[in-house]
Amino acid sequence: MLCGGLAVLAAVSGRAIAQVEDHGYSAADIQAGFKIYSAQCQLCHGPNGDQIAGINLSRQRFKRVVSDDDIKATVSSGIVSAGMPAFRFQPAELNSIVAFIRSGFDTSGTPFKLGDAARGKAVFEGKGGCTACHAPQGEGRFNAPSLSAVGAARQPVEIQRYILEPNKAMLPLNRPVSITLKDGRTLKGRRLNEDSYSVQLRDETLRLHSIAKADIKSYELGKTSNMPSYAGKLSDTELADLLGYLTSLKGS
Amino acid sequence: MRTALGWAFALIAALVMSVPQAAPAAEVSAARIQGAAGEPQNWLTYGGGYSSQRYSALTQITPANVKGLKSQWVLQDNVIGVWQSNPLVVDGVMYVTQRPNDVIALDAKTGKVFWQYRYTTSPDAKVCCGSNNRGVAMLGDTLYMGTLDAHVVAIDARTGTKLWDKALADLNLGYSITMVPLVVKDKIVVGLGGGEFGIRGFITALDPKTGDEKWKFYTIPGPGEPGHDTWRETDWEHGGGSAWVTGSYDPSLNLIYWGIGNPGPDWNAAQRPGDNLYTDSVVALDADTGKLKWHYQFTPNDNYDYDSVQVPVLADIAWQGKPAKVMLWANRNGNFYVLDRATGKFLLGAPFVKVNWMSGFDANGRPIQTPQPTGAATYPGNQGGTNWFPPAFNPKTGLFYVSAWENYGSIYRREQATYEPGKVFGGGGQSVVSPAPGTPTPGIGRKSLINNWTSETGNGAVLAIDPQSGKRAWTFPQFDVTEAGLLTTASGLVFTGGREGYVYALDAKTGKELWKAHLGGQINMAPITYAIDGKQYVSVIAGRTLVTFSLDN
């Protein structure tokens, strides 16, 4: 297991930012955790981890636990009064379970590392230059989605893929489009919606357009995202910190 | 029951006083249901008659004048979630259900409501695939509804009060009913859903007066029953085999036909070796005894959740020059089939969308399966080439119409599943094939106002299939996928819709779009048509509204 060892005290980063550890989660651990979870936990917690009221394991919504060690302790001691039995797992098995939960139940088993959220915020606003496009807390006019609840909406590996390979992270619907109308005008922007007769987009100046397909001369779908790739541009630690920060953004 | 004189009086009174009055609910005898084609002003059963062709002899609305359709009235539903109900119309009164198990009786001319019945569905009801109800059946002056907690309730069609209520199965095991019962002679036939929970499915016939069981057919044969040897050891006990949608009936053969759902667990066929009869099959049952006459299995040892959740469409057509009683079936597994409905003989099978889980048929009509490697795309995807939404057949054009998902595949994940009563018995999962490996893909359902499907992940289409060849006569493509059923008329029209919220009238011969209206919500069930006082209406449910159209005159 990859353990960063960069211990950052909770007191420094504050409880408001939930991610206080620096942990890497390997593909093998996540996959092994998935197996254990399917066999031992799914019956009560459900395939998406949301079957027990007030708890959503895949979205990191807990009643009491905060840290990875808290999760391990809960599994080992059980919450017998509430109906969760105590499990006897080896340390490696406990690490796997944590990795699977932290991955947001990502069954593809892509490895990732969650670093320090406070440092991640600094990367987001500083070196990463993310605020050139993304409103830091969902405020302001920006031509990119607000990230203020991205930690609740997306799995860590999805966020990681956005940062490293944005072209592979776009939903097909969200592709940039370039449309030439029969009257000669050209519109470029991000596709927002489409049906059999019309397409809706927002151009670079944030103007909204709804275009009848009957008026379109040519319609090009961009394959590349307007978000630049940060692969090779951030150190492993910076990436982990950024991920620690983004996964902590869960909306208000 | 009213006398002819009584009717005439009511009519005259209505005219004289010019007070709008809906005719009171008449009795629907078994003979009337059998002769439903002869009274096209009514819509008496789920499929518009025992053949389930959704074909209407009404001809007032034609390809030439359909552009003049205008909305006449709208019924607003107040329940959240897709609305899949199929209204009945009987002598001017419409009966429609809404989630979870409400029945509404209304004046089909004005949309004004007579009564509303609310069944209290158990909070413990388990529904894998939506808290749907697809409508009521009627016999005499009684309505019959299946409920999400696996009851059948009989309701007085005049007063909206409950007559009896019968539990058919244990809801804690995941049994539920979403389908419309089928009235056959003096019996109410209904099938159970719940295959995703490892039920053992069955179809049962009830006494219309009491709800007492007359016969029961297990879709998964137990020890000693034919087909039991297609299961290993005790696998059959949780073998699934739901009956999600209504069946059809051929009075001339006295046979009831029903499509049977997927085996359990859904996605891990390796865990239940054997053909797993009668999952993914059509069964032909003796209407009086429920005894199996024949079966045909579309997908043996199903690895893809390809349940046969389609209503069997019965047609009398020429087959190789001779008149034949056939069954037409566009299956979730992506193939279109023609079967001899007297014997179950396989006459034709041909893919109607991209198919790669099989490469062809052997001489007996058994698919030659070609499982794709782990992680590779299987076509059609998990939702199938089509699904539960009903198709239509027009005897005049000779064409079969179906809403299909094109260019849509799934990547399956398979796991060992452990049966636990009332818990999902899935054995894995699946995701939509994306344009580039590893990229995110849309969810199956539409959860917001925004369409999440593009041509890269699949699109919807209405297909017209020629049963003689299994080939497409025409294709009407849509951008988003569609879950709309179909209606076709003797005047040469096809009515349907889709997730985009349009209701369409297409030319039944060519597929040309003749009329459309945007209703703003997804259309799931098929439109129906009926007539009152000589005026033809078309009703369609879109989103949370039921809209009724007619020509102005």
Side-chain angles (χ1 to χ4, degrees):
Chain A
M1 186 169 143
L2 309 162
C3 210
L6 292 156
V8 177
L9 296 173
V12 176
S13 49
R15 280 284 181 201
I17 295 168
Q19 201 56 55
V20 294
E21 289 159 282
D22 188 63
H23 275 172
Y25 306 101
S26 73
D29 272 343
I30 298 169
Q31 295 283 30
F34 172 39
K35 288 218 174 70
I36 298 173
Y37 183 84
S38 303
Q40 312 268 14
C41 322
Q42 186 168 319
L43 274 179
C44 294
H45 286 281
N48 303 316
D50 57 358
Q51 216 157 271
I52 288 172
I55 296 174
N56 188 330
L57 298 180
S58 65
R59 296 268 182 248
Q60 323 295 312
R61 198 145 61 75
F62 308 106
K63 285 188 183 158
R64 283 171 300 273
V65 306
V66 177
S67 68
D68 289 5
D69 286 341
D70 295 345
I71 297 179
K72 293 178 194 172
T74 302
V75 172
S76 300
S77 65
I79 313 171
V80 181
S81 60
M84 164 139 165
F87 292 88
R88 281 162 188 257
F89 286 119
Q90 299 300 315
E93 291 171 315
L94 288 171
N95 287 338
S96 303
I97 292 169
V98 168
F100 179 64
I101 292 176
R102 291 299 191 208
S103 78
F105 289 21
D106 176 48
T107 50
S108 73
T110 315
F112 66 97
K113 206 170 152 189
L114 294 181
D116 174 57
R119 284 198 319 249
K121 186 167 189 283
V123 177
F124 188 83
E125 287 162 358
K127 182 177 174 188
C130 315
T131 48
C133 299
H134 292 284
Q137 296 296 339
E139 295 141 15
R141 277 203 190 115
F142 294 88
N143 200 5
S146 156
L147 301 180
S148 60
V150 74
R154 297 199 179 270
Q155 298 169 332
V157 288
E158 284 181 301
I159 300 175
Q160 176 172 282
R161 192 160 51 193
Y162 248 103
I163 299 170
L164 299 178
E165 297 178 282
N167 298 337
K168 285 198 157 190
M170 262 188 302
L171 271 169
L173 177 69
N174 296 344
R175 292 199 188 293
V177 291
S178 170
I179 292 176
T180 306
L181 298 172
K182 285 182 180 153
D183 68 11
R185 279 183 301 149
T186 296
L187 294 168
K188 283 194 169 73
R190 185 158 182 248
R191 178 163 60 174
L192 303 175
N193 201 356
E194 180 166 348
D195 80 359
S196 300
Y197 303 93
S198 68
V199 53
Q200 287 69 40
L201 62 93
R202 186 172 53 225
D203 71 16
E204 282 130 344
T205 67
L206 302 185
R207 257 190 73 186
L208 300 172
H209 300 268
S210 182
I211 300 152
K213 287 192 175 171
D215 297 335
I216 294 178
K217 195 167 119 207
S218 71
Y219 182 166
E220 264 175 67
L221 274 182
K223 293 252 187 280
T224 50
S225 170
N226 290 338
M227 157 131 171
S229 164
Y230 288 86
K233 293 185 190 142
L234 298 172
S235 71
D236 284 356
T237 309
E238 285 163 341
L239 181 62
D241 291 345
L242 199 49
L243 217 50
Y245 171 58
L246 293 173
T247 52
S248 76
L249 300 177
K250 305 230 167 109
S252 44
Chain B
M1 198 158 120
R2 269 183 185 259
T3 60
L5 206 74
W7 277 109
F9 177 76
L11 253 172
I12 290 163
L15 286 174
V16 171
M17 301 187 296
S18 68
V19 175
Q21 273 194 357
E27 305 238 340
V28 177
S29 62
R32 270 185 80 183
I33 300 176
Q34 191 169 326
E39 46 175 297
Q41 71 275 21
N42 292 318
W43 195 272
L44 295 181
T45 74
Y46 175 72
Y50 278 143
S51 302
S52 306
Q53 292 181 352
R54 287 184 186 267
Y55 168 78
S56 169
L58 295 178
T59 54
Q60 191 174 74
I61 302 168
T62 66
N65 66 20
V66 69
K67 268 206 153 52
L69 279 182
K70 297 244 159 57
S71 157
Q72 300 300 323
W73 57 263
V74 170
L75 178 75
Q76 295 257 6
D77 183 6
N78 49 25
V79 177
I80 296 169
V82 290
W83 194 3
Q84 299 184 341
S85 185
N86 182 77
L88 295 189
V89 177
V90 182
D91 304 327
V93 180
M94 178 181 283
Y95 304 97
V96 65
T97 59
Q98 67 175 14
R99 286 174 166 222
N101 286 120
D102 294 357
V103 187
I104 306 168
L106 55 150
D107 176 3
K109 199 168 164 176
T110 64
K112 296 296 164 199
V113 173
F114 293 123
W115 56 254
Q116 181 165 3
Y117 165 77
R118 284 170 187 261
Y119 174 81
T120 310
T121 312
S122 164
D124 296 329
K126 294 184 173 59
V127 219
C128 73
C129 315
S131 302
N132 299 308
N133 179 276
R134 305 206 171 92
V136 289
M138 188 166 178
L139 177 64
D141 52 17
T142 306
L143 303 171
Y144 299 90
M145 172 173 65
T147 69
L148 292 176
D149 48 9
H151 288 227
V152 168
V153 280
I155 301 145
D156 186 327
R158 295 159 304 187
T159 62
T161 49
K162 186 168 83 184
L163 300 173
W164 53 258
D165 174 355
K166 199 99 182 165
L168 298 192
D170 184 353
L171 65 94
N172 294 310
L173 298 179
Y175 285 98
S176 63
I177 302 175
T178 53
M179 71 156 67
V180 182
L182 180 71
V183 171
V184 177
K185 299 195 275 193
D186 59 347
K187 293 183 183 70
I188 310 300
V189 188
V190 65
L192 279 288
E196 276 57 40
F197 297 103
I199 60 160
R200 180 184 176 211
F202 62 87
I203 297 166
T204 183
L206 310 177
D207 182 312
K209 290 273 176 285
T210 61
D212 292 344
E213 182 183 305
K214 293 289 182 187
W215 55 252
K216 188 172 193 173
F217 170 79
Y218 276 104
T219 59
I220 309 293
E225 291 175 317
H228 181 67
D229 57 356
T230 63
W231 293 91
R232 180 191 61 183
E233 295 162 16
T234 55
D235 293 351
W236 62 278
E237 289 172 1
H238 309 297
S242 314
W244 286 116
V245 300
T246 308
S248 302
Y249 173 55
D250 183 343
S252 74
L253 299 167
N254 199 36
L255 289 178
I256 296 176
Y257 305 99
W258 226 286
I260 309 300
N262 59 277
D266 291 40
W267 298 294
N268 192 15
Q271 192 178 332
R272 43 172 167 75
D275 279 0
N276 307 146
L277 289 173
Y278 295 97
T279 64
D280 295 351
S281 303
V282 51
V283 293
L285 307 178
D286 182 293
D288 300 323
T289 63
K291 290 266 172 315
L292 181 74
K293 180 86 184 289
W294 59 257
H295 78 275
Y296 172 80
Q297 190 175 35
F298 299 100
T299 315
N301 192 234
D302 176 13
N303 218 4
Y304 314 101
D305 195 9
Y306 288 155
D307 36 357
S308 295
V309 275
Q310 295 79 36
V311 57
V313 175
L314 315 184
D316 294 340
I317 61 171
W319 188 257
Q320 294 173 345
K322 290 198 211 85
K325 291 176 194 267
V326 301
M327 178 183 293
L328 307 175
W329 202 302
N331 196 274
R332 185 161 169 178
N333 73 15
N335 291 302
F336 172 78
Y337 297 82
V338 183
L339 304 177
D340 178 331
R341 72 173 184 268
T343 62
K345 188 170 173 248
F346 170 87
L347 301 178
L348 178 142
F352 63 92
V353 289
K354 181 171 172 185
V355 166
N356 72 356
W357 66 274
M358 46 102 64
S359 58
F361 295 93
D362 74 10
N364 299 319
R366 189 184 167 86
I368 299 155
Q369 298 210 26
T370 48
Q372 301 302 304
T374 305
T378 298
Y379 289 88
N382 185 75
Q383 295 305 102
T386 186
N387 205 298
W388 65 271
F389 25 94
F393 174 74
N394 191 320
K396 287 209 166 152
T397 60
L399 296 175
F400 178 91
Y401 306 101
V402 63
S403 280
W405 286 26
E406 298 235 65
N407 180 37
Y408 151 66
S410 287
I411 294 171
Y412 288 89
R413 180 163 58 74
R414 313 194 186 284
E415 295 157 16
Q416 186 76 14
T418 315
Y419 175 76
E420 279 286 315
K423 297 266 159 99
V424 171
F425 191 46
Q430 41 78 34
S431 58
V432 178
V433 171
S434 58
T439 63
T441 51
I444 293 295
R446 179 173 320 180
K447 296 221 167 66
S448 83
L449 298 171
I450 292 172
N451 165 31
N452 46 13
W453 286 78
T454 73
S455 48
E456 294 167 288
T457 47
N459 64 282
V462 183
L463 313 181
I465 299 174
D466 180 355
Q468 303 294 336
S469 62
K471 295 215 165 70
R472 294 182 187 194
W474 51 256
T475 303
F476 177 77
Q478 298 170 12
F479 189 77
D480 199 349
V481 290
T482 171
E483 277 142 337
L486 291 117
L487 163 71
T488 183
T489 69
S491 56
L493 290 169
V494 166
F495 288 93
T496 189
R499 275 197 193 170
E500 294 179 4
Y502 297 99
V503 54
Y504 302 102
L506 310 178
D507 185 312
K509 282 201 200 75
T510 63
K512 189 171 165 247
E513 180 191 303
L514 300 173
W515 169 80
K516 72 168 185 294
H518 192 251
L519 304 181
Q522 45 182 309
I523 293 164
N524 286 273
M525 185 34 89
I528 62 154
T529 187
Y530 58 93
I532 301 172
D533 298 341
K535 189 173 206 163
Q536 184 183 355
Y537 297 86
V538 174
S539 287
V540 62
I541 294 175
R544 290 156 74 177
T545 55
L546 189 164
V547 187
T548 294
F549 296 91
S550 73
L551 299 169
D552 271 347
N553 53 27

